[in-house]
Amino acid sequence: MDWGLILNNTLAWVFMPETIAYAIATLGLAVHFGYGGLLNFGQAGFMALGAYGYAISVLTFGFPWWGGLLVGVVAAVVFALILGLPTLRLRADYLAIATIAAAEVVRLLFQSTIFDDYTNSADGLGGYHESFRSANPFPPGTYGFGPWTWSATDLWVRVFGLILLGLALLVVWLVMRSPWGRVVRGIREDEDAVRALGKNVFAYKMQVLVLGGVLGALGGFVVALPSAVVPAYYLPSLTFFLWTILLLGGAATIFGPVLGSLLYWLIMAFLANVLPALASTGMIPGLNNPSQAGNLRYILVGVALILIVAFRPQGILGNKKEMTFNAR
Amino acid sequence: MPANQPRIKSTGLHVGEIRPGVPKVDPIIVADNVTRSFGGLKAVDVEHLEIPRGAITALIGPNGAGKTTLFNLLTGFDKPDTGTWEFDGKNLAGIPAFKVSQLGQVRTFQLTKSLALLTVLENMKLGAKNQAGEKFWNGLIPALWRKQEEEIEEKALALLERFKLDTKKDDYAASLSGGQRKLLEMARALMSDPTLVMLDEPMAGVNPALTQSLLDHILGLKDSGMTVLFVEHDMAMVRHIADWVVVMAEGRIVAEGPPDEVMKDLAVIDAYLGSHLDTDLGVVTGRIDVIHEDHLVDDIVEEALQTEAGSTTRPGDDIQEEKVQP
Ligand SMILES: Nc1ncnc2c1ncn2[C@@H]1O[C@H](COP(=O)(O)OP(=O)(O)OP(=O)(O)O)[C@@H](O)[C@H]1O
Ligand SMILES: [Mg+2]
């Protein structure tokens, strides 16, 4: 086994666009669940809207890249309103059911042949990069070192992704330490108590749903930046990867999603490199097909999610004191 | 405990002969034909009720009388099957609970609702009204709300001191005892400077020594112009601070009047005191140890015989069981 190569391939994921994208989208989940107490199991739907909003606007309507980004954000806002209006007055569980179904509806609409002219159905969309790349401030060349060696395009994608992540962190941090955030956390604890104090609980929950959803869309946009938009990417399993990241890092924390995403992708990349190597040397009993071995990691993700929930529900960055009260 | 000096009660609150539903000189709440059924059970069936402004009104009645349900209806937390009700001359039908609170009619809950994973101080600050920083975009710019936040904090700390919770200000509300949570909820409700505060059993589980100081605080609130409506099972406390007493049984208003007179009313005795005609419930509960022997059994019975019977009988035994201090 070439450990140097494995290490190199793993560390490359520290600045991978997907790592950044998952951090942003998971921050959205933290806003929903960690702060607002809203159970959103459809974050993949918001991400799909961000990605498709961008790609379709650019490809079909000739929007500049930033116009496409805005379209994705607006689509997420509209989606949040449609989801929230009927469900936010009901108990939290109903939102959970509605989100998982609605996200699937979104994905299936993009995948179906009805809108083939716009979505290219199951094959997805590509080749929308020109506008974004032409805005690249970095002159052509090679940047960075070691595992982090990038072309100018790669660098631009990562830098822009990090700018979005930084802005998202700043906004969530500012707003959660404000009186607005206090009301939102109060609603997480007991809606009726907050209502009795004269706060429009429904409006706050709607704002929370929109904010977290927009972050999901931004995450989808960053996923789409370097590659293509394929409907099969936005399966419910994507949402559950985000939940794993959220619970790993800590649900009601600002940097939990960043740390969680980093750890998640480093572990996934490590396993993706190590498991096939182990399998080909016959070290995993019953598994000698390297590609099968790569899939083993998704099983491990599921097991990890269960273990986190059982043994460290507050996540790595979560407040232990807070959780001792929650585990009553 | 400080001497239980009788305070000057507000009198002359009603117009005409005292009877259930009697009009008030200056009502803050007026309810008409408010009914609410759960299945076959009519939990609330109020023909007419007025709550006097600027006074302390006690709402009493046996368990299951519909007191909490009436609170829920008046504050928009539940919808009645029929009826109209107004607060401060404003019709409240169809007004959501949060708007009712914004109008100045703030309530607390019988089953305490402290916000467990917010600190005691955060709980308090949440109670303040018209906070600029509670708007999303304002929240992003601390300069827009920092000054108001400081004022709110100052006010919160003063109230916490009054409620003996100041040393707990940075603890999670989850770490408070049951009685402390009751206190926190009441203090939090007062953060909004309500015109009418509705307290559902505010003193249940609160230490008698502290009760006295809080009763004084409630009296102080009245002096500063606030109206108080509270549910309470402790007769001694009701007699001590209430200017007016409304008695509910099986969803209906069966009696009302100034405390001393209501205590003599047959309906109350039937509905509430049950077999304990000769015992002051304050003694039974041990919550307030100062008792005035201001009505004798004979008086009560005599009065009772003269008064029209308006309700069905209910044992009141459950009342004291609930109130036994651990
Ligand atoms: N949500 C509900 N569903 C069904 N029945 C209810 C509901 N809420 C109250 N009730 C019934 O309505 C009646 C009045 O209840 P309520 O809670 O108003 O009594 P209460 O006067 O506050 O009693 P307590 O002194 O014990 O607090 C009771 O018989 C109760 O069982
Ligand atoms: Mg009650």
Side-chain angles (χ1 to χ4, degrees), chain A residues 171 174-175 178-180 182-183 185-186 188-190 192-193 195-200 204 207 319 322 325, chain B residues 77 98 101-102 109 113 115-118 122 125-126 128 131 133-134 136 139-140 145 149 172 174-175 188:
Chain A
V171 165
L174 277 174
V175 88
S178 77
W180 185 88
R182 186 163 60 214
V183 176
R185 284 180 297 127
R188 176 190 70 195
E189 298 300 313
D190 192 321
D192 277 342
R195 217 169 257 136
L197 297 172
K199 321 291 177 197
N200 186 348
Y204 280 97
Q207 290 168 23
N319 183 341
E322 197 167 311
F325 292 120
Chain B
F77 277 85
F98 79 91
S101 169
Q102 285 176 356
F109 295 88
K113 292 186 186 295
L115 304 167
L117 294 185
L118 265 59
E122 282 177 320
K125 286 175 172 175
L126 202 55
Q131 297 191 45
E134 285 185 352
F136 179 83
L140 291 173
W145 47 266
E149 181 85 355
Y172 283 122
S175 73
R188 192 175 65 195

Side-chain angles (χ1 to χ4, degrees), chain B residues 1 38-39 68-69 80 100 107 143 226 253 269 271 278 297 307 310-311 315:
Chain B
M1 199 175 284
F38 296 108
T68 299
T69 309
V100 173
R107 67 160 313 172
M226 196 158 97
I253 310 291
I269 297 156
D278 49 349
V297 181
T307 319
S311 81

Side-chain angles (χ1 to χ4, degrees), chain B residues 31-49 59 64-74 78-85 248-253 314:
Chain B
D32 276 297
N33 290 318
V34 173
T35 63
R36 174 72 165 105
S37 307
F38 296 108
L41 175 91
K42 238 184 185 172
V44 166
D45 183 3
V46 170
E47 224 168 84
H48 186 79
L49 175 65
L59 180 60
K67 304 181 296 294
T68 299
T69 309
L70 180 61
F71 260 45
N72 289 344
L73 296 174
L74 292 179
D78 195 2
K79 285 197 173 55
D81 304 329
T82 65
T84 56
W85 66 109
M248 269 185 99
E250 298 184 336
R252 300 183 322 165
I253 310 291
R314 251 195 198 224

